[in-house]
Amino acid sequence: MYLKRRHLEILREMKKTESQAEIEAKLPEEFQIRAIELYILGFAELEGGRIKLTDAGRKLLEISDSLNLEELPDVIADTEILKMLELLEETGKIPESWLEKLKERKLADENGLTKFGRALLQLYRETHPVVYLTPEIASFLRGMPKLGTLDELVTFKNSRLYGDNIVNALQAMRLLLISPPTEKGRAFTTTPAARLALKALSMIPVFARAIVLRKEDFEALKAGRSNAELESMGLSDEKGTTEFGKAMMETYEAMGKVEEKVLPIYLLDDELSVLRAIQEIAKKYETNPDILPTEKEIEKRVEIENLGAVLHLLESKELVERRLVKNKDTYWLTEWGREAIDFGTVSPDAMKAVTYSESGDVPIAEWVIKAQEEGVVKAGVTDKGRFYLRLSRSIKRKPFLTKYDTAILAKTPRKRYIHRDELVELVQNYVGGDEKEIIRAIGEAEAKGFVVELQNGMVKLTELGDKVKTALENAKLQEIVKVKFSVTPTLYNVLRVIYENLETFNRIWKEKGEAKGYKMEEVDVIRKHLSLSDDEIKKALTMLRELGFLGSKSLTEAGRILVEAYL
């Protein structure tokens, strides 16, 4: 959305007359640009020299009727302001500087959204903009950076001598989003609809006129109907809707749509070192089969304090796979792992810049700058960013819980948001640790799917996080939180085998003999399903019992909930 005070002034004049000439005589400043913006926004129809209110335009007039326009700033609502409104509505808390901007526009007060703020947000969600692509807008869209800081977009606009109206129009069409300001400034992104528009525009050899697609045009094309206007724009012909027309319909459908975000993957320095060590050992194995990528062999090549934790973490992301070779537990690179070595490390925040942009939401400047520093973004998403986006979308994560993950889940409340700063303090009081480490751990917990952190720093549990939190609460939480890493892919795999073969295990548990740590009959069954050594299976069974996911003769409620959370 892009709504100026002048738009409301024009709408108020439209109650008196539909003559563009009469209104322009009263409000001459850039009248034609403002009228076209009202048309794009879906608030007005332009017919010859007439300008007519749409149903959405009448609603906007109604909800803004009591406002004193002279008290309002020049820009009432743009994508930046709309994001503030959405975040305030969803989380109930935004930075004071954002709240002041909303107060200036009568969109919020000390109690939250005002009646006008709620109504405008509802109207935004109910209305659909018009596709209005002129040669100038198309040229700007083709040449502009697709994701970056706002300074970069302004520099591009000014260096090519484009007017602000181009940026306004792109916001009105929901092809461009600008973030609220944070400490590092503001960010921008084109939306998936913009990418579809560019794909459609690439089909036109010569761009001679504006391409316009309204709701009625979209419905006509969908029904296979045509008219002279649609044919003149190349959207249809005697055979029906053209390929260009279909591409423009895809653009129209995608405008304003926000998809579910992909969990952002990450890869740390220690993880990359281990991947490289496994690659080196695997090459030696080709000529010397006695050299295997065991934990001990990997340890000779890397200086990492918690190598076991790193190996589990890599396994949870499907970058390595565990296999029993010559009765030894070994680790091998997956295809994803081999490619990750080439692209290098990446942080959760850097990937959030990409995942938010890809979903139709706007990242904040901090994430974008991080993405630029790490080579994930450069005027758009790079090959590295696209690789990690594919990885994020494709893998089926397995659980890996550190001490911090457990503390974050324990201290994040259910069904409400908590500010990251408050959560950091709670975690610090619970398990100790450095503030920066905990902030990083929150980002990693988000990448694992446990929590989500929004642009205003508010954090909440995801559905998966809620289930895992319940599992931890039903287990021995006070024991779990003392362990550097509690739930690992190996422990989960063992637990899942028990869950899926419960009848067999119930028979084993009914037999005489206590299973304080493990019973050999249990080990025998698990060995048939997992490529693990007996020692690893025994360790896993012992740990599962110590932490409360497995009883001496039963699968506990905590164990059942944990398995089902990841099914």
Side-chain angles (χ1 to χ4, degrees):
M1 179 177 275
Y2 184 78
L3 184 65
K4 289 175 73 82
R5 185 177 64 220
R6 180 48 56 97
H7 291 135
L8 292 181
E9 290 169 348
I10 292 170
L11 288 174
R12 288 185 177 184
E13 288 298 323
M14 286 166 64
K15 286 196 294 186
K16 305 170 191 172
T17 178
E18 292 181 352
S19 168
Q20 290 193 44
E22 287 182 33
I23 298 173
E24 187 170 9
K26 286 187 177 180
L27 306 168
E29 181 204 2
E30 295 186 320
F31 172 79
Q32 290 303 321
I33 290 173
R34 302 287 90 87
I36 288 170
E37 287 167 355
L38 283 169
Y39 175 63
I40 293 170
L41 289 162
F43 296 137
E45 286 285 354
L46 304 177
E47 295 177 4
R50 291 156 64 83
I51 179 167
K52 298 167 66 176
L53 284 167
T54 62
D55 288 342
R58 276 185 280 275
K59 281 185 182 177
L60 179 57
L61 264 177
E62 185 183 323
I63 66 173
S64 62
D65 187 54
S66 62
L67 296 177
N68 181 348
L69 299 188
E70 291 181 5
E71 293 178 356
L72 297 176
D74 180 46
V75 176
I76 296 170
D78 54 12
T79 54
E80 173 188 337
I81 296 296
L82 259 295
K83 177 48 63 178
M84 293 178 193
L85 272 178
E86 287 174 339
L87 290 169
L88 180 57
E89 180 196 51
E90 186 174 353
T91 69
K93 186 176 181 180
I94 56 174
E96 190 60 38
S97 60
W98 297 9
L99 188 59
E100 282 305 313
K101 286 195 172 192
L102 296 184
K103 286 179 178 177
E104 287 171 8
R105 292 158 173 79
K106 314 301 180 185
L107 295 167
D109 56 26
E110 291 77 10
N111 300 314
L113 269 63
T114 59
K115 185 178 178 182
F116 175 51
R118 283 192 299 273
L120 186 65
L121 192 55
Q122 184 62 30
L123 185 60
Y124 167 74
R125 288 167 177 162
E126 290 173 354
T127 56
H128 194 295
V130 171
V131 176
Y132 187 84
L133 296 172
T134 64
E136 188 181 25
I137 291 172
S139 173
F140 185 91
L141 192 56
R142 284 192 185 107
M144 68 177 283
K146 305 304 184 282
L147 173 59
T149 61
L150 188 60
D151 289 346
E152 293 169 298
L153 182 63
V154 171
T155 298
F156 170 81
K157 177 182 72 71
N158 293 343
S159 66
R160 305 296 198 285
L161 303 179
Y162 285 106
D164 289 340
N165 59 302
I166 302 287
V167 173
N168 302 344
L170 289 173
Q171 288 188 85
M173 282 186 274
R174 308 184 192 184
L175 303 182
L176 172 70
L177 302 175
I178 296 170
S179 78
T182 52
E183 284 185 16
K184 298 289 177 103
R186 288 185 287 176
F188 77 91
T189 182
T190 51
T191 64
R195 292 188 277 282
L196 289 169
L198 286 169
K199 177 186 168 187
L201 292 170
S202 69
M203 299 177 181
I204 309 175
V206 179
F207 200 127
R209 54 159 295 174
I211 303 297
V212 180
L213 191 67
R214 304 166 299 168
K215 182 181 179 182
E216 51 265 46
D217 300 323
F218 174 80
E219 288 173 350
L221 291 170
K222 198 172 184 179
R225 300 193 303 271
S226 184
N227 57 46
E229 184 69 10
L230 293 174
E231 288 183 18
S232 71
M233 290 186 285
L235 299 171
S236 64
D237 56 24
E238 67 281 354
K239 296 176 185 175
T241 306
T242 62
E243 289 303 310
F244 173 57
K246 290 174 185 174
M248 289 307 301
M249 287 172 69
E250 284 183 20
T251 302
Y252 182 90
E253 284 186 303
M255 287 167 125
K257 190 181 285 186
V258 181
E259 305 285 350
E260 187 176 347
K261 292 173 185 66
V262 177
L263 296 177
I265 201 72
Y266 65 99
L267 186 72
L268 308 177
D269 289 330
D270 284 354
E271 293 174 81
L272 183 60
S273 300
V274 171
L275 290 177
R276 285 175 174 156
I278 293 171
Q279 184 181 55
E280 182 188 329
I281 296 164
K283 282 180 183 175
K284 293 194 174 184
Y285 171 75
E286 291 172 9
T287 55
N288 186 351
D290 291 330
I291 298 178
L292 289 165
T294 61
E295 187 172 339
K296 282 187 178 179
E297 195 64 36
I298 296 166
E299 197 170 20
K300 294 175 186 176
R301 291 166 171 80
V302 293
E303 292 183 11
I304 295 172
E305 187 179 346
N306 293 312
L307 177 57
V310 175
L311 287 167
H312 287 308
L313 185 54
L314 289 168
E315 188 183 359
S316 76
K317 300 174 190 175
E318 293 189 1
L319 296 174
V320 303
E321 57 185 359
R322 196 167 181 172
R323 287 187 233 149
L324 190 64
V325 179
K326 297 181 180 180
N327 207 33
K328 291 181 179 179
D329 292 296
T330 59
Y331 298 86
W332 302 84
L333 296 179
T334 62
E335 187 57 42
W336 290 117
R338 282 186 281 275
E339 285 193 70
I341 289 173
D342 295 331
F343 286 109
T345 58
V346 69
S347 66
D349 279 359
M351 282 309 298
K352 278 177 76 171
V354 176
T355 56
Y356 269 64
S357 174
E358 288 290 317
S359 73
D361 200 354
V362 63
I364 56 172
E366 280 80 350
W367 302 340
V368 170
I369 291 167
K370 196 78 173 161
Q372 290 171 334
E373 290 170 355
E374 295 179 16
V376 171
V377 166
K378 186 178 181 180
V381 182
T382 63
D383 288 344
K384 177 178 178 177
R386 280 188 286 273
F387 164 73
Y388 280 115
L389 183 62
R390 285 198 314 275
L391 177 62
S392 300
R393 281 178 171 151
S394 303
I395 62 170
K396 184 168 175 56
R397 292 164 172 82
K398 291 188 177 71
F400 176 72
L401 269 74
T402 65
K403 177 178 69 174
Y404 284 136
D405 291 322
T406 302
I408 289 163
L409 287 167
K411 294 301 177 183
T412 303
R414 285 188 168 89
K415 296 181 181 177
R416 70 177 179 88
Y417 283 88
I418 181 172
H419 196 276
R420 188 185 69 179
D421 294 347
E422 186 183 347
L423 181 58
V424 168
E425 188 177 344
L426 289 172
V427 170
Q428 208 165 21
N429 292 339
Y430 190 38
V431 295
D434 177 70
E435 183 182 338
K436 285 185 179 178
E437 274 186 357
I438 297 170
I439 289 170
R440 189 177 80 169
I442 292 170
E444 290 168 9
E446 182 170 13
K448 293 171 184 175
F450 299 145
V451 297
V452 61
E453 182 186 347
L454 301 181
Q455 294 97 328
N456 57 342
M458 300 298 282
V459 179
K460 74 167 181 176
L461 287 174
T462 62
E463 185 180 347
L464 174 64
D466 194 290
K467 289 176 182 176
V468 176
K469 179 184 175 83
T470 302
L472 294 174
E473 288 173 343
N474 279 273
K476 298 174 182 175
L477 181 58
Q478 294 312 311
E479 293 302 314
I480 292 169
V481 83
K482 294 174 187 173
V483 183
K484 280 188 177 178
F485 54 97
S486 51
V487 181
T488 67
T490 299
L491 261 65
Y492 176 79
N493 289 338
V494 169
L495 198 60
R496 184 169 173 176
V497 168
I498 295 168
Y499 175 89
E500 291 174 347
N501 298 273
L502 201 50
E503 285 185 17
T504 302
F505 281 92
N506 280 333
R507 282 198 300 273
I508 292 170
W509 293 330
K510 281 179 183 176
E511 294 171 6
K512 289 181 180 179
E514 289 295 314
K516 291 180 181 176
Y518 61 88
K519 293 176 79 170
M520 275 313 298
E521 293 90 337
E522 295 174 317
V523 177
D524 292 339
V525 176
I526 293 165
R527 192 194 307 117
K528 292 174 185 175
H529 293 85
L530 298 175
S531 185
L532 289 172
S533 68
D534 285 6
D535 282 348
E536 283 298 310
I537 296 170
K538 291 172 186 176
K539 277 194 278 185
L541 287 167
T542 303
M543 182 68 83
L544 287 167
R545 287 191 163 102
E546 286 178 357
L547 298 181
F549 296 108
L550 194 60
S552 61
K553 293 189 175 184
S554 67
L555 175 66
T556 64
E557 182 69 0
R560 181 190 64 77
I561 294 168
L562 183 64
V563 171
E564 291 178 353
Y566 283 87
L567 290 180

